Amino acid sequence: MNLKSVRLEIDELCRDFHITNDKFSEVRKDQWRSILGNIEERFLKKKSSIK
């Protein structure tokens, strides 16, 4: 999957679900790691390896 196909897929999903562009924004390529980390902290339950 290339960048253009990702953008086209996002555009199609936005049309299908009536999502306007003001609901999200594109981020710089150096920001994705911290955003992903934030999502993981908030929504994933991690098991501790310490017993």
Side-chain angles (χ1 to χ4, degrees):
M1 183 177 292
N2 62 35
L3 183 60
K4 185 168 182 155
S5 64
V6 171
R7 288 176 187 238
L8 291 174
E9 185 174 354
I10 291 169
D11 287 342
E12 183 179 326
L13 289 167
C14 288
R15 279 191 307 275
D16 292 348
F17 292 98
H18 309 289
I19 301 171
T20 58
N21 287 343
D22 62 334
K23 301 293 182 200
F24 61 92
S25 61
E26 188 172 348
V27 298
R28 294 186 323 258
K29 64 182 175 181
D30 63 340
Q31 291 178 301
W32 71 270
R33 246 184 249 275
S34 63
I35 293 170
L36 182 58
N38 191 357
I39 292 169
E40 289 175 343
E41 285 178 23
R42 291 176 183 229
F43 298 105
L44 296 180
K45 185 174 182 180
K46 296 183 180 183
K47 292 183 179 182
S48 175
S49 60
I50 301 172
K51 293 185 179 184

